[in-house]
């Protein structure tokens, strides 16, 4: 918008403005002839949705956009406009209640947001203006202002770092509140900036605001007096983001480039896309059924009304004349209003309160996850986190689990295990010696054996010490620095305590590993890296360039200059990315080690180096600088440059780092598979490592036949890759799908069956070939083959995946036939895409920052918690909500059915059977609390048994409790009971003289008896279903019934002045004074519940069921009973 | 949904810590409370209904319900009830001529006498009902056509009745009291009962006209306007009688001021709208004889003298007179007894069937009968 306005200011300039120009301190620059102070937005953050003025209309509008609310509004309006049987209050009151509660809640939340906004916007900041520091409110910062920030303050807007109090022109920043990563990140000042910011004249050209936190491209023109302007490139390392906090730095100055709603933080603020649960879809389907029931009821009644009226004398007998107005009304209009009246009369069949109750259940229910102390991890002092309560029940429906490997299955707690230098293996172990195929490993390297040459060793260890981006933590830095500078001293002590900070734990493990072998990295100071070698000498290297790691290249390099002036490039990375770049003859010696390490489950990295001649370096240097300065396509240019530099290296060795399995990883995976879930491991790691992790997690067992579809299996002399892919797919398909015993997919989850287990392995390259084959026609065929194979495999391993491919796989499975419910679990930024893609996204509060947690629906501290989250919480939530939904439809069906039947006896006149108070209160007061309590507290199977017996999870698979069959059962039950209520009382009223003094009952007594039976039956039905009676259940169930009785007495006990008609005056008391009424109430309740009791008895008791399962689940009785009950299992 | 909206605040990233507390999204770095409720470990009773626990219940229900049902059926059968239709549809019926030449405006009352015979003596108090068929007292337009505050003695409603009373709200520019369709269509046949003594004399049977309406209706819900003003005609001076009435409301029972005006019990009974189109309403009570030796209504010949005012032929209705004794369960109604016997038998039968199943298949279930 702003850009558009800017364009308009520029006078119809159609060209897109891709960059903005900022004048530091608003000082015009010599080059620009006219200084146009461009308009940027102010630094006000507005996260609130409403203002005082627009709250009511806007909020109401938002609320009535929900289809249910809108429906109830329509009903309400019909009641107001048309002469309807029930007063508008009956539907208006609940609607008003719902709307008000929601509005209050949203208003409160918005008030909190306002408060937070205000706090941020009014925060005092210091701005340099004309040489003076001026205190300002944060919201008044303009683009181009030079802002001062002191330690531990958050940056008020996006700043370009101009000056830091640290000598080396760096500052440390933590972005914990932005992406959750709590490590300190180093940011750099723009080089060549004068010390006096007052005289600094410069213009910054940078891209327009964009939300990517880690991308920034800009250029700074610095004008110096009588000199050529200097141009410096600006990258993310120069940009301090709003929301981040300054650490370890006394103060900095920066010029604001993006302000207010254009800061990256604000641009990143967006509601996550709403995930809808399967239960909600079921609700909507049921809703349609009930809506059609409602409409057909209204149509039937309207039709019959006119048929009935056509008989002479029925429509308008002498005792019941119409008003003049009614007589004048057009017949068709009358029909229509009659139809609407019937709709209104029966509209309670779709209850407003269900939505309220479902929301309450979800909201309150989610607390149990946060409260669960089993999810509490003492290490990080945190429990589980619920980001959305919409998906609680989805946790009980998971069919596919997609898990990340590193940090999720494994601890991401790296330990340097061994290395291989020039083909010789070194394993750090103090005592044990190990005989190996080609080398004897024995103790630390410095024992100097006749292995790799001394020089090679040193080179390798130096490479480990230099090739990284680790920082030394400066806790109590003074002492440490002193000791480091004082030459030999007591060196061992501070070394042990030295803390490292790095973005990846591998690097720390490597640096620590090198330390064990005698090479210690002391830190990076003003572009020079200091390491202490085995002779305790300090070596200094000048850091020239860092070629950053990224997941596509899968390697990183540094270019350093030794004291002696040599320029060296060290590179470390995955074997696949290093091997092609080194001399082939070196590869073979190392490859065996790498592969063996990988099969043992270690993470391997290869280390290579290259000596750069002066010319080579000069070329690389200029190339890199140019690429870094490029405003457009900087990434691509850099990538190309990196590739160019990292060529022709020589391989020195490889490292093996162990990543231990998470606690109970194997048990958790086993439980998930036992619960019928298919576990797919999606990892960026290499196949061998991932495979060994899978074996360790028992995802692959010894008997599992592995079907590999990787780059290696695709290598074939005769066929090209595409043909081979086709061939292999066919072969595996035959093996896994066609030859498998004919069982319906999805129904059997071949876990404990005797058939052959298959495991499937695919890698990223093959996957992309599979997804985008050269011939487009094959794509869908390949995909379906692939999916079919995967569905018949117990576990699938996808290795070498890019983050986007992970999401692609999730999406493919999600959209496959039967649309199974998927769950993604991961801990790192690379898992975010799949977490967002899956139905349920789970974040692990791991070590790789908190991006996964932020984007997840649920976050847990450890993988092992997944078991309880799914098997216990998910199962219970599903059962609870499914029961809640079914029960709601049921109780409203048998509520409204008698009212419908009554129309046949009152001349289709829309006469309500129940009093308006009962109509209104039924769903709000009399029957709402027990089901809410049930849906929060029910444990039809205790948590221990659920955890112990994973197979129980399969009982509710495929939305078992909300399928059409159980729905039909509940509907039939509702109809049966509704018929019972109505006709039971009907037969009783064949003689309405029911009191022992001969007095008679009228229509309101009729309705009250039916209603009493209804309330009791419906509540007791729930009581029958309750398997877990806590005192709360007792309280609400018996309390509701008592409340109903109390209310009825109270309501009928007083002549209410505000009521037009005293319909219920002493009706309830009179009903209860009649013995016959008591007897009919009792027998009708019993009769209505009889089928239910019978079913409960015949149904296999749950508690047992689980106990028996471990022994032997198919005895005669059980089979017999189950066959009897299978159609009605709910 | 609610939780997610709370969490949106966290993403704003403005004040970590101060916002976002309150929803489940906010986790304090404290260990969750180890309370039974929060850990879902509240002590709970976990009933497991099995064949073993329910079987006795079935037998119990059977054993209790069958006797109750038999008792109810016997009671119901012991109730004497006599019903006679006096609509006069048939040519042979004594009221035929009355039913034919009916007109609201006729000043002279048409009377007819319907003879009948009671075969059995009616002991104790006998209740006399009139019954109407195909009369939709529960029609919505009809049910709502009343003004309860007028009937409760409210002065302003008396002169300005509720809109619901239309088209029976005003007549001749005066408000109608009592207004509305229900009041307007008050049942106005007069029924009198005579015992034709075998010796030829015709004995009038005394019909008690109070005690037929609910106590609370008569004393609280219905009240004459003007409080204790006994001169009802002056109270109702500015009102008009319902169009179909022959006399104004204050002349419903001039003999008894406690049964006149709105608190007339015939009127109150009529105003309690019936549930179904075929209904009966209590009309009179025949008190039992003081001596207790002779039955209230000995067997023999009776005649019902009807002052035929109430037209029902136009809507194909019927009028009946019912004489009935009353038991503790009310009037004659075999339904309850039959229902109880049926349910009791079904339960008993099911109990037997379950027992067989239980024994044949479910021996191993025995250990499970104890709910844990």
């Amino acid at each position: 918008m702003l850009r558009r306005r800017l364009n308009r200011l520029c006078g119809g300039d159609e060209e897109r403005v891709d960059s903005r120009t900022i004048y530091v301190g608003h000082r015009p620059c010599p080059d620009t002839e006219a200084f146009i102070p461009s308009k940027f937005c102010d630094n006000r953050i507005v996260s609130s949705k409403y203002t005082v003025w627009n709250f009511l209309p806007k909020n109401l509008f938002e609320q009535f956009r929900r289809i249910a609310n809108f429906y109830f509004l329509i009903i309400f309006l019909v009641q107001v406009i048309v002469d309807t049987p029930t007063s508008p209050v009956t539907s208006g009151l609940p609607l008003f209640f719902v709307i008000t509660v929601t509005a209050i809640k949203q208003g409160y939340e918005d008030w909190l947001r306002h408060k937070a906004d205000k706090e941020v916007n009014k925060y005092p900041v210091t701005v340099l203006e004309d040489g003076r520091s001026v205190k300002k409110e944060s919201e008044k910062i303009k683009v181009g202002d030079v802002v001062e920030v002191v330690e531990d303050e958050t940056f008020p807007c996006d700043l370009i770092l101009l000056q830091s109090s640290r000598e080396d022109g760096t500052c440390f920043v933590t972005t914990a509140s932005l992406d959750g990563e709590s490590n300190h990140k180093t940011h750099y000042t723009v080089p060549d900036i004068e010390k006096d910011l007052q005289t600094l004249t410069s213009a910054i050209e940078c891209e327009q605001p964009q939300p990517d936190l880690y991308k920034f491209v800009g250029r700074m023109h610095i004008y110096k007096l009588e000199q050529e302007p200097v141009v410096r490139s600006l990258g993310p390392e120069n940009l301090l983001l709003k929301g981040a906090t300054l650490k370890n730095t006394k103060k900095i100055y920066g010029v604001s480039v993006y302000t207010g709603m254009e800061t990256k933080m604000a641009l990143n603020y967006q509601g996550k896309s709403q995930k809808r649960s399967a239960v909600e879809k079921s609700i909507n389907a049921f809703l349609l059924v009930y809506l059609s029931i409602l409409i057909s009821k209204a149509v039937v009644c309207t039709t019959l009304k006119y048929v009935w009226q056509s008989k002479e004398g029925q429509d308008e007998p002498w005792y019941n004349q119409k008003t003049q107005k009614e007589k004048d009304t057009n017949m068709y209009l009358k029909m229509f209003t009659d139809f609407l009246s019937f709709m209104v009369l029966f509209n309670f069949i779709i209850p407003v309160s269900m939505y309220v109750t479902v929301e309450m259940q979800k909201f309150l229910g989610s607390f149990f996850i946060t409260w669960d102390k089993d999810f509490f991890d003492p290490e990080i002092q945190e429990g589980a986190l619920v980001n959305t309560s919409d998906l609680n029940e989805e946790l009980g429906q998971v069919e596919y689990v997609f898990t990340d490997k590193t940090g999720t299955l494994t601890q991401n707690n790296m330990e340097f295990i061994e290395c291989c230098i020039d083909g010789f293996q070194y394993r750090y172990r103090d005592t044990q010696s190990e005989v190996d195929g080609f080398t004897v490993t024995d103790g630390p390297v410095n024992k100097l054996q006749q292995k790799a040459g001394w020089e090679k060793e040193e080179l390798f260890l130096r490479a480990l010490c230099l090739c990284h981006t680790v920082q030394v933590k400066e806790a109590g830095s003074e002492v440490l620095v002193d000791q480091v500078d004082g030459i030999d001293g007591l060196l061992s002590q501070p070394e042990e305590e030295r803390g490292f900070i790095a973005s990846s734990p591998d690097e720390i493990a490597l640096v620590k590993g090198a330390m064990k072998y005698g090479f210690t990295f002391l830190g990076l100071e003003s572009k020079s890296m200091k390491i202490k070698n085995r002779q305790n000498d300090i070596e200094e290297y000048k850091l020239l360039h860092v070629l950053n790691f990224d997941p596509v290249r899968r390697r990183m390099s540094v270019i350093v200059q030794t004291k002696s002036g040599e320029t060296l490039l060290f590179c470390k990375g995955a074997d696949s990315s290093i091997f092609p770049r080194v001399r082939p003859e070196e590869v073979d010696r190392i490859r065996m080690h790498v592969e063996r390490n990988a099969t043992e489950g270690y993470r391997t990295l290869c280390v290579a180096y290259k000596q750069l001649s002066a010319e080579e370096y000069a070329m690389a240097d200029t190339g890199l600088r140019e690429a870094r300065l490029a405003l457009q396509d900087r990434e691509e240019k850099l990538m190309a440059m990196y590739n160019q530099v990292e060529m022709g290296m020589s391989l020195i060795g490889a490292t093996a780092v162990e990543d231990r399995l998470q606690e109970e990883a194997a048990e958790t995976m086993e439980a998930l598979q036992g619960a019928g879930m298919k576990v797919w491991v999606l990892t960026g790691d290499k196949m061998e490592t991932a495979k060994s992790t899978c074996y360790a997690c028992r995802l692959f067992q010894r008997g599992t036949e592995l079907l590999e579809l990787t780059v290696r299996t695709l290598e074939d002399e005769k066929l090209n890759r595409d043909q081979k892919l086709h061939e292999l797919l066919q072969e595996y398909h035959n093996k896994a799908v066609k030859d498998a015993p004919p069982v319906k997919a999805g129904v059997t989850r071949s876990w404990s069956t005797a058939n052959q287990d298959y495991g499937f392995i695919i890698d990223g390259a093959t996957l992309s070939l599979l997804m985008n084959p050269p011939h487009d026609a094959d794509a869908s065929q390949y995909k379906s083959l692939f999916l079919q194979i995967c569905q018949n495999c117990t576990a699938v391993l996808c290795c070498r995946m890019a983050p986007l491919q992970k999401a692609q796989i999730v999406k493919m499975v999600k959209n496959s036939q039967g649309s199974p419910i998927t769950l993604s679990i991961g801990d790192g930024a690379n898992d975010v895409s799949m977490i967002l893609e899956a139905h349920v996204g789970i974040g692990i509060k791991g070590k790789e920052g908190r991006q996964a947690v932020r984007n997840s629906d649920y976050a847990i501290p450890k993988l092992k918690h997944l078991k309880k989250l799914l098997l216990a919480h998910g199962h219970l939530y599903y059962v609870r909500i499914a029961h809640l939904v079914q029960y709601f439809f049921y109780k409203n069906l048998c509520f409204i059915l008698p009212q419908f039947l009554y129309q046949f006896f009152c001349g289709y006149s829309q006469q309500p059977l129940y009093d308006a108070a009962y109509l209104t209160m039924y769903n709000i007061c009399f029957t709402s609390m027990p089901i809410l309590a049930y849906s929060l507290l029910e444990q039809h199977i205790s948590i221990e048994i659920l955890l112990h017996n994973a197979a129980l999870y399969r009982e509710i698979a495929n939305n078992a409790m909300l399928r059409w069959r159980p729905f039909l059962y509940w509907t039939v039950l509702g109809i049966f009971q509704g018929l019972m209520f109505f006709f039971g009382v009907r037969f009783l009223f064949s003689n309405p003289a029911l009191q022992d003094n001969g007095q008679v009952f009228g229509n309101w007594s009729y309705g009250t008896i039916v209603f009493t039976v209804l309330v009791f039956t419906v509540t007791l039905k729930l009581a029958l279903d309750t398997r877990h009676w806590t005192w709360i259940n007792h309280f609400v169930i018996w309390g509701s019934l008592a409340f109903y009785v109390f209310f009825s007495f109270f309501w009928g006990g007083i002549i209410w002045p505000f009521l037009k008609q005293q319909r219920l005056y002493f009706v309830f008391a009179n009903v209860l004074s009649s013995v016959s009424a008591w007897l009919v109430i009792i027998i009708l309740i019993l009769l209505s519940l009889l089928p239910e009791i019978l079913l409960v008895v015949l149904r296999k008791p749950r508690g047992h069921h689980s106990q028996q399962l471990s022994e032997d689940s198919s005895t005669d009785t059980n089979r017999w009973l189950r066959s009897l009950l299978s159609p009605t299992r709910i | 949904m609610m939780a997610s909206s709370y969490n949106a605040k966290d993403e704003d990233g403005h004040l970590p810590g101060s916002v976002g507390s309150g929803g489940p999204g906010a986790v304090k770095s404290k260990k969750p409370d180890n309370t039974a409720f929060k850990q879902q470990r509240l002590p709970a009773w976990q009933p497991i209904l099995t064949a073993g626990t329910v079987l006795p219940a079935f037998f119990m229900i059977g054993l209790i319900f069958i006797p109750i049902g038999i008792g109810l059926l016997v009671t119901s059968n012991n109730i004497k009830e006599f019903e006679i239709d006096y609509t006069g549809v048939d040519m042979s019926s004594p009221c035929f001529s009355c039913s034919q030449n009916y007109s609201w405006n006729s000043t002279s009352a048409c009377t007819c006498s319907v003879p009948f015979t009671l075969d059995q003596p009616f002991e104790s108090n006998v209740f006399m009902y009139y019954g109407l068929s195909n009369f939709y007292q529960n029609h919505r337009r009809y049910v709502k056509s009343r003004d309860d505050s007028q009937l409760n003695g409210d002065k302003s409603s008396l002169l300005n009745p509720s809109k619901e009373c239309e088209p029976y709200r005003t007549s001749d520019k005066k408000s109608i009291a009592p207004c509305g369709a229900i009041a307007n269509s008050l049942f106005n046949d007069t029924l009198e009962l005579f015992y034709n003594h075998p010796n030829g004399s015709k004995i009038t049977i005394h019909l008690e006209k109070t005690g037929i309406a609910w106590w609370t209706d008569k004393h609280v819900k219905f009240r004459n306007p003007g409080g204790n003003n006994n001169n009802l005609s002056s109270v109702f001076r500015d009102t008009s009688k319902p169009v179909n009435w022959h006399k104004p409301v204050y002349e419903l029972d001039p003999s008894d001021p406690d049964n006149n005006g709105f608190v007339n019990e015939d009127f109150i009974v009529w105003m309690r709208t019936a549930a179904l189109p075929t209904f009966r309403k209590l009309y009179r009570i025949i008190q039992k004889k003081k001596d207790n030796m002779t039955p209230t209504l000995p067997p023999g010949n009776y005649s019902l003298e009807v002052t035929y005012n109430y037209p029902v032929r136009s809507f194909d209705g019927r009028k009946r007179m019912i004489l009935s004794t009353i038991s503790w369960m009310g009037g004659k109604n075999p339904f309850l007894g039959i229902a109880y016997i049926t349910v009791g038998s079904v339960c008993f039968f099911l109990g037997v069937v379950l027992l067989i199943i239980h024994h044949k298949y479910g021996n191993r279930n025995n250990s499970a009968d104890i709910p844990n």
Side-chain angles (χ1 to χ4, degrees), chain A residues 132 319-320 451-452 574 605 702 923:
Chain A
R132 284 174 293 117
Y319 57 84
N320 194 9
K451 294 175 189 167
L605 283 176
R702 199 159 292 167
N923 274 315

Side-chain angles (χ1 to χ4, degrees), chain A residues 269 319-321 371 373 385 390 880 902 910 939 944 988 991 993 998-999 1003 1029 1062 1070 1076 1079 1104, chain B residues 1 12 25 34 39-41 45 129 136 140-141 148 168 213-214 273 275 329 331-333 340 361 368:
Chain A
Y269 164 70
Y319 57 84
N320 194 9
Q321 299 284 314
W371 281 337
K373 71 174 164 53
L385 179 78
D390 276 346
R880 289 167 183 173
Y902 193 57
Q910 300 123 18
Q939 293 175 33
E944 285 75 28
L988 185 75
N991 181 354
Q999 292 170 0
N1003 63 325
W1029 285 80
Q1062 312 294 332
N1070 265 305
S1076 292
L1079 289 172
H1104 265 258
Chain B
M1 190 155 295
D12 296 359
N34 189 12
Q39 300 307 321
Q40 307 197 59
R41 286 184 205 284
W45 172 55
Y129 298 88
Y136 284 84
R140 180 160 72 95
R141 204 187 318 132
D148 275 351
Y168 305 97
W214 290 9
T273 46
M329 57 170 282
K332 194 180 183 84
N333 193 349
Y340 266 77
Y361 297 97

